[in-house]
């Protein structure tokens, strides 16, 4: 919702899952000049914010459209939980590589809030990310409702649980699953020591396996926008508070735990210096 490739600017690692590739492209093409340099600082800031908003809106729309769409297709052409899990995991993987360098590829309010709590994202950016995420999810579900109108409803897209699963068990499942996902994001995409090129694969595969495990139990939301979008369109809000609170707490806990594994800045610089000898 840090970088997939090696971080190419000190600021880029503070605003999302992936870094800005502009310096990399400049190195490849020699005379390449970023269009942002043609604007005044205020205009450049506005354009950057606008691009992040659009990236989160479009990215979340595609992510929810593919993932929730697979659940509706499963009604007619049995995909099984494996097919649905692949739709979620592989779509996220592709979107990280497509939009990560623009906004950080959050597509998840829990990820955005956790990054803000860990001071890796300015607090002022939280509404700029979260609103497009919810809007993208809702628009995706509206589109699916139109395309699958012959089914009568979009209930398979909802994240729900049934007996014998209790509220406490559902909270625990969502908390743990989100913690694992966010822990992988922190390690694979925000730590300078990690191999960023494979971060999208690591995150996408993690989501895939988590949907396989928790999907039949709670729907494996791990994402408030993913749950509230279908709820708004279908008008079914039962237990949705669980799919908002548990993922946020899980993501924040993961960033706190991973902070214990981060290398202090001075030690990191010393380590790099020693490696260069």
């Amino acid at each position: 919702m840090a970088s997939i490739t090696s971080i190419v600017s000190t600021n880029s690692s503070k605003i999302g899952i992936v870094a800005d590739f502009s310096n990399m492209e400049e190195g490849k093409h020699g005379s390449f000049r970023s269009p942002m340099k043609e604007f005044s600082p205020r205009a450049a800031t506005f354009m950057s914010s606008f691009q992040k908003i659009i990236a989160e809106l479009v990215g979340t729309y595609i992510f929810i459209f593919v993932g929730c769409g697979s659940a509706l297709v499963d009604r007619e052409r049995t995909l099984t939980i494996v097919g649905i899990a692949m739709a979620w995991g592989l779509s996220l993987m592709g979107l990280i590589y497509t939009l990560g360098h623009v906004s950080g590829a959050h597509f998840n309010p829990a990820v955005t809030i956790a990054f803000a709590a860990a001071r890796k994202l300015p607090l002022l950016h939280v509404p700029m990310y979260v609103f497009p995420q919810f809007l993208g999810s809702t628009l995706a579900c509206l589109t699916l409702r139109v395309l699958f109108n012959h089914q009568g409803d979009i209930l398979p897209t909802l994240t729900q649980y049934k007996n014998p699963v209790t509220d406490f068990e559902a909270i625990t499942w969502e908390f743990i699953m989100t913690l694992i996902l966010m822990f992988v994001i922190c390690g694979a995409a925000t730590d300078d020591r990690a191999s960023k090129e494979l971060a999208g694969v690591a995150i996408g595969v993690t989501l895939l396996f988590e949907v396989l495990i928790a999907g039949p139990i709670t729907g494996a939301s791990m994402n408030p926008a993913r749950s509230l979008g279908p709820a708004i369109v279908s008008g079914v809000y039962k237990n949705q508070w669980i799919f908002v609170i548990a993922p946020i707490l899980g993501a924040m806990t993961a960033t706190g735990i991973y902070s214990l594994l981060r290398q202090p800045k001075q030690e990191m610089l010393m380590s790099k210096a020693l490696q260069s000898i």
Side-chain angles (χ1 to χ4, degrees):
M1 160 235 180
S3 65
I4 285 178
T5 61
S6 56
I7 296 180
V8 293
S9 77
T10 55
N11 291 331
S12 62
S13 64
K14 298 178 181 179
I15 59 174
I17 292 182
V18 294
D20 186 355
F21 290 125
S22 60
N23 289 344
M24 184 185 301
E25 293 299 318
E26 185 172 0
K28 288 181 180 178
H29 303 290
S31 60
F32 175 83
R33 295 184 65 188
S34 171
M36 299 301 289
K37 294 180 180 178
E38 304 298 329
F39 296 100
S40 66
R42 181 175 297 179
T45 299
F46 172 80
M47 283 299 298
S48 177
S49 298
F50 177 76
Q51 290 172 349
K52 288 178 174 60
I53 291 171
I54 297 301
E56 288 296 306
L57 173 62
V58 175
T60 307
Y61 178 94
I62 296 173
F63 179 53
I64 300 301
F65 181 85
V66 173
C68 288
S70 67
L72 293 173
V73 171
D74 184 59
R75 254 183 175 179
E76 303 174 6
R77 303 285 188 275
T78 305
L79 297 179
T80 73
I81 187 62
V82 176
I84 295 173
M86 290 181 66
W88 283 109
L90 295 180
S91 63
L92 178 60
M93 185 189 305
L95 287 167
I96 287 175
Y97 288 116
T98 303
L99 295 171
H101 53 283
V102 180
S103 67
H106 294 191
F107 317 136
N108 185 340
V111 171
T112 299
I113 293 170
F115 274 135
R119 298 183 180 180
K120 290 188 174 295
L121 184 76
L123 286 175
L124 291 176
H125 286 194
V126 173
M128 186 176 76
Y129 275 64
V130 170
F131 179 73
Q133 290 162 359
F134 280 114
L135 180 60
S137 176
T138 303
L139 290 176
C141 292
L142 282 171
T143 304
L144 291 171
R145 183 174 182 178
V146 172
L147 295 177
F148 289 88
N149 64 84
H150 58 280
Q151 291 192 5
D153 60 61
I154 60 168
L155 294 181
T157 66
L158 291 170
T159 48
Q160 291 289 342
Y161 55 92
K162 301 177 181 178
N163 291 330
V165 180
T166 65
D167 290 350
F168 176 76
E169 290 172 341
I171 292 172
T172 303
W173 271 104
E174 288 295 315
F175 176 86
I176 293 175
M177 291 294 104
T178 311
L179 186 151
I180 294 172
L181 178 62
M182 191 67 195
F183 192 76
V184 172
I185 291 173
C186 289
T190 72
D191 195 321
D192 292 344
R193 297 167 293 175
S195 176
K196 306 301 188 299
E197 291 81 1
L198 296 176
V201 176
I203 297 167
V205 169
T206 298
L207 180 63
L208 190 159
F209 281 112
E210 289 192 303
V211 173
L212 281 176
I213 296 170
I217 301 173
T218 65
S221 173
M222 300 171 277
N223 183 337
R226 179 264 176 273
S227 290
L228 287 184
I232 291 171
V233 175
S234 65
V236 179
Y237 296 95
K238 182 180 179 181
N239 298 325
Q240 288 304 310
W241 64 274
I242 290 175
F243 300 103
V244 174
I245 295 176
I248 292 175
L249 293 178
M252 292 177 66
T253 302
T255 57
I257 293 174
Y258 198 85
S259 67
L260 301 175
L261 305 180
R262 293 190 183 278
Q263 199 172 18
K265 188 173 182 180
Q266 290 300 322
E267 291 183 13
M268 187 183 303
L269 294 174
M270 183 179 297
S271 175
K272 289 182 178 180
L274 291 172
Q275 292 175 9
S276 65
I277 296 176

